[in-house]
Amino acid sequence: MKLLVSPASPYSAKCRMAARHLALGVEEVRVDTNAEPPELIDNNPLGKIPVLLRDGQKPVYDSVAIMQFFNRQSGGKLYPAEAQARTDAEVLEALADGITDCLLAIIYERRFRPEDKVEQSWIDKQWSKVTRGLDYLEANLPVVGDTLHGGHFALAALIGYLDLRFAGKWADGRPKLAAWPDQFSKLFPEFATVKPAA
């Protein structure tokens, strides 16, 4: 299996970390989404990453579908079996991904619009969602027990992306959340090398 990724992508990082944690033997292939290479476009008409390529089978996208596929491939090792614990893990993943969506909306607004066309009110609205989400996580910090699940990997990818693109703008007043990767790294020592990077 091959996973089409970008080193800065938090969604790629989530799937890369999960695949490595589960020892699924997934080959990571870097692609430039702006260049729209055939290997990407031919396998995901949206031209987005990550995309999981499987020999002789249909590709899998986006990150949520890939994570669920990894869970099945591993015999259910990526999400809890108990119903409420499974729901909690999936909601954590949804919250982390949703905050990430808002961060990317801010980045794209600034990156792809001329400076005089940037809509600050849009940025402010997205940032208010980010701060509410982060404040919620600070007050309801996910527990890292003896095992990791999909929600943990989504949160780790989010924090890695915050450190990459919003360093100095999010951790103040959230000491527990800022320190959470230290707990996570005890069970996933590769975090420092797999988290979103320029």
Side-chain angles (χ1 to χ4, degrees), residues 6 14 17-18 42 45 52 94 104 132 135 168 184:
S6 168
K14 176 177 70 167
M17 288 188 281
D42 292 348
L52 182 68
L104 284 167
R132 286 199 305 270
D135 288 345
F184 174 78

Side-chain angles (χ1 to χ4, degrees), residues 39-51:
E39 187 173 35
L40 174 61
I41 299 301
D42 292 348
N43 288 292
N44 180 354
L46 301 176
K48 299 169 69 174
I49 50 171
V51 180

Side-chain angles (χ1 to χ4, degrees), residues 49-152:
I49 50 171
V51 180
L52 182 68
L53 306 183
R54 304 175 295 158
D55 290 340
Q57 299 182 65
K58 292 180 180 180
V60 181
Y61 53 87
D62 62 2
S63 68
V64 173
I66 292 170
M67 294 288 279
Q68 293 297 332
F69 176 80
F70 285 167
N71 188 57
R72 292 189 294 275
Q73 285 291 105
S74 66
K77 294 180 181 178
L78 190 53
Y79 293 90
E82 193 273 324
Q84 187 57 56
R86 172 70 176 258
T87 298
D88 291 345
E90 291 176 340
V91 169
L92 173 59
E93 182 177 4
L95 176 58
D97 285 354
I99 296 170
T100 301
D101 291 343
C102 296
L103 294 173
L104 284 167
I106 293 170
I107 291 293
Y108 292 157
E109 180 71 14
R110 291 175 172 156
R111 182 180 296 169
F112 296 113
R113 284 184 184 269
E115 188 173 347
D116 62 331
K117 300 292 185 182
V118 170
E119 188 60 56
Q120 188 60 45
S121 63
W122 169 255
I123 291 175
D124 293 343
K125 183 172 184 177
Q126 299 308 310
W127 189 249
S128 70
K129 296 178 184 180
V130 170
T131 57
R132 286 199 305 270
L134 296 180
D135 288 345
Y136 176 87
L137 289 168
E138 175 70 15
N140 301 273
L141 195 68
V143 175
V144 177
D146 297 329
T147 58
L148 296 173
H149 57 59
H152 294 134

Side-chain angles (χ1 to χ4, degrees), residues 183-196:
Q183 304 173 43
F184 174 78
S185 295
K186 291 177 182 177
L187 292 180
F188 187 72
E190 290 184 83
F191 175 64
T193 57
V194 189
K195 66 182 180 180

